[in-house]
Amino acid sequence: MATNAEFPPYEFYEGEEIVGIDAEFAAAIAEKLGMELKIEDMAFDSIIPAVQSGKADFGAAGMTVTEDRMKEVDFSDTYYTGRQVIIVAEDNTEITGPDELVGKKIGVQQGTTGDIYATDDYGDENIERYNKGFEAVQALKQGKIDAVIIDDQPAQTFVKETEGLKILETEYVEEEYALCFKKDSELVEKVNDAIAELKEDGTFDKIIDKYIGGEK
């Protein structure tokens, strides 16, 4: 499994170990298929090339299914619906939603859908790209940028751990998460069967509840 372990609660480090929703879900899928899971951490925008080249059997990183990505890889069935949200300084009254981001400096994690959508909506010249979501949040805290666009769950973790920031109530966009595979991989069908079983027997809900406290 190729991942980017900078994306709590989906994948992150606990000591030397990579844990999180995707890590546990992938381990449960591997167990269903009688396989052993090995996780490799890399930059987010290296995951699809690693899968395409066969260096990884699949990628899992809170990855959104998009038309462009579907041209490069095959996706499993969707396993979670995520939201992109906007983080601003707590005392910022000017930015109340996506419309007020026009002309502002926006921080994103490079190669994510937040990067793709924000570039389309607000122009490349207004986007500041960072290797890690946490780095974008720190730049916002230091006043170097006006806002951060990132997935909801990591956003909640970052805001809880960083004083003086807030998440806007108006979400930016909703999206579907899935695992990605090399085109025509025989694993897709097997993994989809495993996903269906893990959802049906309650395993997936238990994993979600462990990391997100019952929010689905």
Side-chain angles (χ1 to χ4, degrees):
M1 166 177 151
T3 195
N4 173 239
E6 301 287 345
F7 202 64
Y10 296 96
E11 39 270 315
F12 58 99
Y13 278 98
E14 209 168 67
E16 296 293 309
E17 188 185 1
I18 296 173
V19 298
I21 292 169
D22 287 342
E24 283 204 29
F25 193 38
I29 290 168
E31 192 177 334
K32 283 269 183 199
L33 301 181
M35 296 176 173
E36 182 189 350
L37 179 69
K38 291 181 181 176
I39 302 176
E40 189 171 339
D41 185 20
M42 60 185 69
F44 184 83
D45 53 8
S46 297
I47 294 171
I48 285 179
V51 170
Q52 287 175 314
S53 67
K55 286 182 183 173
D57 296 299
F58 70 101
M63 187 177 284
T64 304
V65 179
T66 67
E67 285 186 20
D68 283 345
R69 286 175 181 164
M70 285 170 75
K71 292 171 190 168
E72 299 182 306
V73 289
D74 285 341
F75 282 99
S76 70
D77 293 338
T78 299
Y79 64 90
Y80 195 78
T81 300
R83 301 184 306 144
Q84 292 280 327
V85 296
I86 301 161
I87 307 174
V88 296
E90 209 162 33
D91 58 2
N92 187 322
T93 55
E94 184 188 349
I95 300 172
T96 58
D99 292 347
E100 287 82 33
L101 290 178
V102 175
K104 298 290 192 286
K105 281 286 174 199
I106 303 163
V108 296
Q109 184 178 0
Q110 184 164 324
T112 61
T113 43
D115 179 0
I116 295 161
Y117 298 150
T119 303
D120 284 349
D121 288 345
Y122 305 109
D124 191 61
E125 68 279 4
N126 293 312
I127 306 303
E128 295 290 332
R129 295 179 180 85
Y130 300 86
N131 286 326
K132 301 175 182 178
F134 178 73
E135 291 171 358
V137 171
Q138 287 305 300
L140 173 62
K141 171 79 175 163
Q142 292 159 11
K144 294 176 181 176
I145 54 178
D146 300 302
V148 171
I149 289 176
I150 198 165
D151 293 61
D152 179 43
Q153 292 300 333
Q156 290 191 36
T157 301
F158 293 143
V159 167
K160 199 187 325 182
E161 293 173 354
T162 313
E163 207 175 314
L165 303 179
K166 65 181 178 184
I167 299 170
L168 297 184
E169 284 183 22
T170 308
E171 67 185 51
Y172 179 46
V173 74
E174 198 171 89
E175 53 197 6
E176 302 290 328
Y177 293 168
L179 312 180
C180 72
F181 299 83
K182 192 176 183 176
K183 281 284 184 189
D184 302 317
S185 168
E186 293 175 2
L187 271 176
V188 179
E189 196 177 331
K190 294 174 184 174
V191 166
N192 282 342
D193 288 343
I195 289 174
E197 287 176 28
L198 292 165
K199 282 187 169 183
E200 199 175 316
D201 69 14
T203 302
F204 182 62
D205 282 348
K206 281 179 188 169
I207 294 169
I208 292 289
D209 289 349
K210 177 178 173 180
Y211 288 98
I212 306 183
E215 288 180 33
K216 295 188 191 60

